[in-house]
């Protein structure tokens, strides 16, 4: 009979030459979670809501929440486009002017069609398409200035910012454009569940679509690749210039949609409705953690950044802060977010250099 030991009886031999990765402890997991950008932003949002509620209890009410969401929607639309642009390493300063111009052209088109006896449904549909087309046109101009004229994005979009604001004043004479179908106000302000309106629901669906596209689709991967290294992206076969035109066109289209949203909410096209909105959109993206150098950031951060920006402005109004100070606060938020980014990236570079 054989006395050879079975496999289970063989003595085990210590494994040499292999490294077993240490499992992170609970404290390390918790630290990593609390260090995430979106978790930090969520904490900041909660603290802000608590602060403004203490200062004015009306802030924590369904009515105030509904107003914050209504103000959040156009900022979010602009911030989505701004996110894509910044991820490519660019910037779009024209979105505020595009919003105002789109709202005005939408109002002018609806007023003209209604005065000519066009059916209400056709009037609203054509007016909406005119507003969207206006924003798209501004975005295409930006894209061609950046890719064909080889202008820096800052200069190109600064030029269209001024041109858009000027065209808005020329078209309106500096006054609001009213006189469209009353059904527009009904559609724009009928609430569901106390806080939602049809335009707001559409904005949330648009947000979900572009969130998925950025995270899952080739369009999003190409956007990140161009912002990380446009030379390498071109070498990998990505049509960089064509993609940049699409990105700026997307930003303009969403600005046009934001202009239509504001028109449907107010029932009139205002030449000043887009003033300063580009600052709010950039603030949402930067506060959300997007690197202005491109190639880094998440749309989830932009969403929280837009909520923070909108919540701050609404809170300042409720506690009686003068409107002139509101843009100062937004500017401080942008500066603080950029400073934190620089500290974060500096620490990351040091850790890489040390090993």
């Amino acid at each position: 009979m054989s006395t050879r030991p079975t496999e289970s009886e063989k003595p085990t031999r210590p494994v040499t030459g292999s490294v077993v990765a240490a499992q992170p402890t609970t404290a390390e997991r918790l630290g990593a979670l609390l260090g995430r950008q979106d978790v930090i932003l969520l904490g900041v949002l909660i603290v802000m809501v608590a602060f403004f509620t203490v200062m004015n209890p009306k802030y924590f009410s369904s009515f105030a929440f509904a107003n914050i969401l209504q103000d959040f929607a156009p900022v979010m639309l602009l911030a989505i486009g701004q996110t894509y642009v910044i991820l490519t390493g660019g910037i779009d300063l024209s979105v505020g002017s595009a919003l105002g111009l789109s709202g005005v052209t939408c109002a002018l088109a609806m007023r003209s069609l209604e005065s000519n006896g066009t059916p209400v449904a056709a009037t609203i549909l054509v007016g909406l398409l005119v507003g969207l087309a206006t924003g798209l046109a501004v975005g295409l101009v930006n894209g061609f200035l950046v890719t064909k004229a080889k202008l820096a994005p800052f200069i190109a979009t600064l030029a269209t910012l001024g041109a858009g604001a000027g065209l808005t004043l020329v078209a309106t004479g500096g006054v609001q454009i009213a006189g469209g179908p009353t059904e527009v106000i009904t559609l724009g302000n009928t609430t569901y569940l106390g806080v939602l309106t049809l335009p707001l629901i559409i904005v949330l669906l648009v947000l979900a679509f572009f969130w998925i596209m950025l995270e899952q689709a080739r369009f999003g991967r190409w956007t990140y690749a161009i912002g990380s290294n446009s030379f390498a992206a071109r070498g990998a076969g990505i049509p960089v210039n064509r993609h940049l035109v699409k990105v700026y066109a997307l930003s303009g289209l969403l600005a046009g949609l934001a202009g239509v949203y504001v028109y449907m909410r107010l029932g009139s096209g205002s030449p000043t409705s887009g003033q300063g909105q580009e600052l709010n959109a950039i603030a949402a993206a930067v506060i959300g953690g997007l690197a202005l150098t491109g190639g880094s950031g998440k749309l989830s951060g932009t969403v929280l950044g837009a909520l923070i920006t909108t919540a701050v402005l609404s809170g300042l109004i409720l506690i009686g802060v003068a409107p002139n100070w509101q843009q100062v606060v937004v500017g401080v938020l942008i500066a603080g977010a950029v400073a934190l980014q620089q500290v974060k990236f500096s620490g990351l570079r040091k850790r890489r250099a040390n090993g």
Side-chain angles (χ1 to χ4, degrees), residues 140-198:
L140 287 172
V141 170
N142 285 331
F144 283 113
L145 287 177
V146 170
T147 59
K148 301 299 182 183
K150 302 300 181 182
L151 295 180
F154 182 90
I155 300 300
T157 58
L158 182 63
T160 49
L161 179 155
L167 286 173
T168 302
L169 291 174
V170 169
T172 62
V175 298
Q176 290 190 353
I177 305 299
T182 56
E183 289 80 0
V184 170
I185 298 179
T186 302
L187 284 173
N189 293 277
T190 300
T191 58
Y192 307 94
L193 303 176
V195 295
L196 298 175
T197 62
L198 178 60

XYZ file of all heavy atoms in Angstrom, residues 140-198:
404
model
N -22.386 77.536 -33.499
C -21.639 77.207 -34.717
C -20.627 78.296 -35.047
O -19.504 78.004 -35.475
C -22.606 77.001 -35.883
C -23.426 75.708 -35.849
C -24.479 75.717 -36.949
C -22.510 74.492 -36.003
N -21.017 79.552 -34.862
C -20.080 80.657 -35.098
C -18.877 80.509 -34.167
O -17.718 80.656 -34.591
C -20.773 82.019 -34.889
C -19.738 83.150 -34.887
C -21.804 82.269 -35.984
N -19.132 80.201 -32.901
C -18.032 79.997 -31.954
C -17.119 78.867 -32.412
O -15.885 78.977 -32.377
C -18.582 79.673 -30.565
C -19.151 80.877 -29.859
O -18.717 82.006 -30.097
N -20.119 80.654 -28.988
N -17.729 77.757 -32.837
C -16.940 76.610 -33.263
C -16.053 76.920 -34.451
O -14.876 76.529 -34.480
N -16.583 77.639 -35.422
C -15.786 77.973 -36.609
C -14.712 79.014 -36.288
O -13.613 78.974 -36.859
C -16.691 78.462 -37.734
C -17.430 77.355 -38.425
C -18.802 77.245 -38.319
C -16.744 76.400 -39.160
C -19.489 76.204 -38.944
C -17.412 75.354 -39.794
C -18.788 75.259 -39.686
N -15.002 79.938 -35.374
C -13.971 80.907 -34.980
C -12.804 80.213 -34.290
O -11.641 80.590 -34.467
C -14.574 81.966 -34.048
C -15.511 82.996 -34.682
C -16.089 83.917 -33.619
C -14.780 83.822 -35.746
N -13.114 79.181 -33.495
C -12.065 78.461 -32.776
C -11.279 77.548 -33.698
O -10.043 77.477 -33.632
C -12.676 77.657 -31.599
C -11.637 76.710 -30.986
C -13.221 78.603 -30.537
N -11.977 76.841 -34.610
C -11.298 75.825 -35.426
C -10.775 76.358 -36.751
O -9.711 75.939 -37.206
C -12.247 74.654 -35.702
O -13.418 75.127 -36.390
C -12.664 73.985 -34.410
N -11.497 77.249 -37.386
C -11.096 77.758 -38.703
C -10.292 79.047 -38.610
O -9.251 79.191 -39.249
C -12.329 77.984 -39.586
C -13.167 76.726 -39.822
C -12.364 75.644 -40.540
C -13.231 74.417 -40.823
N -12.461 73.324 -41.466
N -10.791 80.001 -37.808
C -10.066 81.259 -37.647
C -8.927 81.142 -36.640
O -8.117 82.065 -36.509
C -11.029 82.359 -37.206
N -8.873 80.008 -35.927
C -7.806 79.729 -34.962
C -7.741 80.760 -33.835
O -6.661 81.075 -33.316
C -6.446 79.650 -35.669
C -6.369 78.600 -36.772
C -6.632 77.208 -36.249
C -6.540 76.162 -37.350
N -6.851 74.796 -36.856
N -8.904 81.278 -33.456
C -8.937 82.197 -32.325
C -8.973 81.397 -31.023
O -9.533 80.303 -30.970
C -10.174 83.092 -32.395
C -10.268 84.080 -33.562
C -11.562 84.878 -33.456
C -9.074 85.021 -33.565
N -8.381 81.952 -29.997
C -8.482 81.326 -28.677
C -9.943 81.322 -28.248
O -10.669 82.288 -28.517
C -7.629 82.083 -27.671
N -10.408 80.252 -27.605
C -11.823 80.198 -27.188
C -12.265 81.414 -26.383
O -13.393 81.887 -26.551
C -11.885 78.919 -26.355
C -10.805 78.055 -26.908
C -9.699 78.996 -27.283
N -11.394 81.920 -25.531
C -11.747 83.094 -24.733
C -12.061 84.281 -25.638
O -13.059 84.987 -25.445
C -10.597 83.433 -23.781
C -10.871 84.605 -22.882
C -11.465 84.414 -21.645
C -10.538 85.895 -23.265
C -11.724 85.489 -20.811
C -10.800 86.976 -22.448
C -11.390 86.776 -21.212
N -11.217 84.522 -26.640
C -11.408 85.660 -27.533
C -12.613 85.442 -28.432
O -13.433 86.352 -28.645
C -10.142 85.882 -28.384
C -8.929 86.152 -27.482
C -10.351 87.032 -29.362
C -9.064 87.365 -26.602
N -12.741 84.238 -28.989
C -13.841 83.949 -29.918
C -15.194 84.127 -29.239
O -16.105 84.777 -29.775
C -13.699 82.531 -30.464
N -15.334 83.547 -28.053
C -16.636 83.621 -27.375
C -16.873 84.985 -26.732
O -18.024 85.386 -26.544
C -16.748 82.516 -26.313
O -15.681 82.632 -25.355
C -16.676 81.145 -26.966
N -15.790 85.711 -26.420
C -15.953 87.083 -25.946
C -16.522 87.954 -27.062
O -17.374 88.825 -26.826
C -14.612 87.638 -25.466
C -14.620 89.065 -24.895
C -15.483 89.123 -23.643
C -13.197 89.523 -24.590
N -16.069 87.704 -28.303
C -16.581 88.454 -29.447
C -18.065 88.174 -29.674
O -18.866 89.099 -29.892
C -15.781 88.096 -30.698
N -18.456 86.914 -29.608
C -19.875 86.588 -29.813
C -20.730 87.019 -28.624
O -21.927 87.291 -28.794
C -20.050 85.078 -30.065
O -19.331 84.332 -29.070
C -19.538 84.694 -31.434
N -20.134 87.087 -27.442
C -20.852 87.638 -26.293
C -21.284 89.071 -26.592
O -22.454 89.436 -26.422
C -19.980 87.590 -25.046
C -20.538 88.136 -23.714
C -19.838 87.459 -22.542
C -20.359 89.648 -23.575
N -20.323 89.892 -27.046
C -20.635 91.285 -27.349
C -21.594 91.422 -28.518
O -22.537 92.230 -28.474
N -21.367 90.621 -29.557
C -22.236 90.700 -30.733
C -23.660 90.263 -30.389
O -24.635 90.894 -30.820
C -21.678 89.820 -31.850
N -23.788 89.189 -29.600
C -25.114 88.713 -29.217
C -25.862 89.720 -28.374
O -27.065 89.956 -28.570
N -25.163 90.338 -27.423
C -25.801 91.352 -26.576
C -26.234 92.551 -27.412
O -27.328 93.106 -27.203
C -24.836 91.786 -25.472
N -25.394 92.940 -28.365
C -25.754 94.065 -29.234
C -26.951 93.759 -30.110
O -27.863 94.588 -30.258
N -26.979 92.557 -30.713
C -28.109 92.172 -31.555
C -29.412 92.113 -30.752
O -30.487 92.460 -31.271
C -27.841 90.807 -32.198
C -26.824 90.793 -33.347
C -26.534 89.357 -33.780
C -27.368 91.607 -34.529
N -29.316 91.685 -29.502
C -30.506 91.627 -28.656
C -31.080 93.017 -28.432
O -32.301 93.228 -28.513
C -30.158 90.981 -27.298
O -29.622 89.677 -27.529
C -31.386 90.860 -26.423
N -30.217 93.985 -28.163
C -30.681 95.356 -27.965
C -31.240 95.951 -29.254
O -32.248 96.671 -29.242
C -29.535 96.223 -27.436
C -29.068 95.912 -26.006
C -27.845 96.738 -25.651
C -30.199 96.166 -25.012
N -30.614 95.648 -30.387
C -31.098 96.141 -31.673
C -32.489 95.585 -31.974
O -33.398 96.297 -32.427
C -30.115 95.774 -32.797
C -30.731 96.049 -34.177
C -28.814 96.558 -32.643
N -32.672 94.287 -31.718
C -33.948 93.632 -32.044
C -35.082 94.087 -31.142
O -36.249 94.098 -31.561
C -33.779 92.117 -31.949
N -34.772 94.463 -29.916
C -35.825 94.807 -28.951
C -35.941 96.298 -28.680
O -36.969 96.723 -28.117
C -35.559 94.110 -27.614
O -34.305 94.588 -27.073
C -35.489 92.607 -27.788
N -34.919 97.058 -29.035
C -34.928 98.461 -28.663
C -34.764 98.658 -27.165
O -35.067 99.724 -26.628
N -34.293 97.608 -26.490
C -34.062 97.695 -25.057
C -35.293 97.449 -24.203
O -35.241 97.651 -22.990
N -36.398 96.994 -24.822
C -37.627 96.749 -24.055
C -38.022 95.279 -24.185
O -37.594 94.581 -25.105
C -38.783 97.641 -24.552
C -38.445 99.104 -24.369
C -39.106 97.358 -26.013
N -38.849 94.821 -23.264
C -39.307 93.439 -23.299
C -40.259 93.205 -24.467
O -41.013 94.098 -24.852
C -39.996 93.069 -21.982
C -39.064 92.969 -20.800
C -39.735 92.358 -19.580
O -40.933 92.121 -19.572
N -38.949 92.093 -18.544
N -40.196 91.977 -25.002
C -41.064 91.590 -26.110
C -42.157 90.673 -25.568
O -41.902 89.538 -25.190
C -40.283 90.874 -27.220
C -39.108 91.726 -27.696
C -41.207 90.514 -28.380
C -39.518 93.066 -28.288
N -43.379 91.198 -25.484
C -44.512 90.412 -25.016
C -45.506 90.264 -26.167
O -45.219 90.604 -27.307
C -45.152 91.088 -23.808
N -46.676 89.752 -25.866
C -47.723 89.659 -26.881
C -47.870 88.307 -27.523
O -48.620 88.161 -28.484
N -47.171 87.283 -27.020
C -47.310 85.945 -27.561
C -48.549 85.249 -27.017
O -49.328 85.826 -26.247
N -48.758 83.991 -27.378
C -49.925 83.238 -26.895
C -49.912 83.101 -25.378
O -48.878 82.830 -24.775
C -49.771 81.871 -27.575
C -48.847 82.101 -28.718
C -47.923 83.193 -28.298
N -51.079 83.288 -24.778
C -51.173 83.123 -23.324
C -50.948 81.671 -22.914
O -50.592 81.398 -21.758
C -52.557 83.575 -22.831
O -53.573 82.840 -23.524
C -52.751 85.066 -23.075
N -51.154 80.752 -23.853
C -50.924 79.340 -23.541
C -49.478 79.052 -23.188
O -49.181 78.061 -22.508
C -51.343 78.464 -24.726
C -52.833 78.371 -24.976
C -53.392 79.575 -25.729
O -52.607 80.484 -26.061
O -54.604 79.585 -25.988
N -48.564 79.906 -23.647
C -47.146 79.720 -23.332
C -46.922 79.820 -21.827
O -46.225 78.993 -21.220
C -46.286 80.757 -24.078
C -44.846 80.717 -23.573
C -46.313 80.497 -25.568
N -47.521 80.841 -21.202
C -47.373 81.004 -19.756
C -48.019 79.841 -19.021
O -47.484 79.346 -18.010
C -47.995 82.339 -19.311
C -47.256 83.504 -19.979
C -47.930 82.484 -17.796
C -47.806 84.860 -19.616
N -49.159 79.379 -19.532
C -49.816 78.231 -18.904
C -48.920 76.999 -18.941
O -48.752 76.301 -17.940
C -51.147 77.922 -19.607
O -51.983 79.084 -19.561
C -51.861 76.762 -18.941
N -48.327 76.733 -20.112
C -47.428 75.589 -20.238
C -46.201 75.741 -19.355
O -45.705 74.772 -18.774
C -46.988 75.423 -21.697
C -47.997 74.829 -22.679
C -47.453 74.907 -24.101
C -48.314 73.388 -22.306
N -45.701 76.951 -19.255
C -44.455 77.176 -18.527
C -44.594 77.238 -17.030
O -43.589 77.112 -16.313
N -45.815 77.430 -16.516
C -45.968 77.653 -15.082
C -46.957 76.732 -14.392
O -47.135 76.837 -13.177
C -46.390 79.114 -14.839
C -45.294 80.103 -15.203
O -44.388 80.360 -14.426
N -45.368 80.656 -16.405
N -47.593 75.828 -15.134
C -48.453 74.840 -14.489
C -47.587 73.857 -13.721
O -46.667 73.261 -14.280
C -49.294 74.088 -15.530
O -50.108 75.032 -16.245
C -50.188 73.066 -14.860
N -47.867 73.687 -12.435
C -47.001 72.865 -11.583
C -47.580 71.468 -11.371
O -48.803 71.274 -11.373
C -46.794 73.530 -10.210
O -48.069 73.723 -9.577
C -46.091 74.862 -10.354
N -46.670 70.538 -11.195
C -47.021 69.153 -10.870
C -46.266 68.774 -9.602
O -45.082 69.077 -9.466
C -46.640 68.211 -12.012
C -47.203 68.636 -13.352
C -46.450 69.422 -14.218
C -48.486 68.277 -13.735
C -46.960 69.821 -15.441
C -49.007 68.666 -14.966
C -48.243 69.441 -15.809
O -48.743 69.845 -17.021
N -46.960 68.125 -8.683
C -46.385 67.735 -7.395
C -45.891 68.936 -6.604
O -45.036 68.824 -5.723
C -45.232 66.738 -7.591
C -45.574 65.454 -8.348
C -44.314 64.610 -8.546
C -46.646 64.661 -7.616
N -46.386 70.107 -6.953
C -46.060 71.319 -6.207
C -44.766 71.999 -6.594
O -44.571 73.168 -6.266
N -43.858 71.315 -7.287
C -42.543 71.902 -7.588
C -42.143 71.772 -9.056
O -41.266 72.510 -9.520
C -41.438 71.271 -6.710
C -41.657 71.600 -5.246
C -41.379 69.768 -6.909
N -42.733 70.854 -9.794
C -42.307 70.588 -11.164
C -43.211 71.287 -12.178
O -44.414 71.425 -11.959
C -42.308 69.084 -11.447
C -41.367 68.219 -10.611
C -41.578 66.752 -10.934
C -39.919 68.618 -10.860
N -42.620 71.734 -13.265
C -43.356 72.239 -14.417
C -42.916 71.436 -15.640
O -41.880 70.756 -15.605
C -43.087 73.731 -14.655
O -41.681 73.913 -14.940
C -43.466 74.573 -13.441
N -43.692 71.530 -16.718
C -43.336 70.787 -17.921
C -41.952 71.177 -18.451
O -41.139 70.293 -18.761
C -44.405 70.991 -19.000
C -44.146 70.302 -20.345
C -44.039 68.796 -20.172
C -45.242 70.661 -21.354
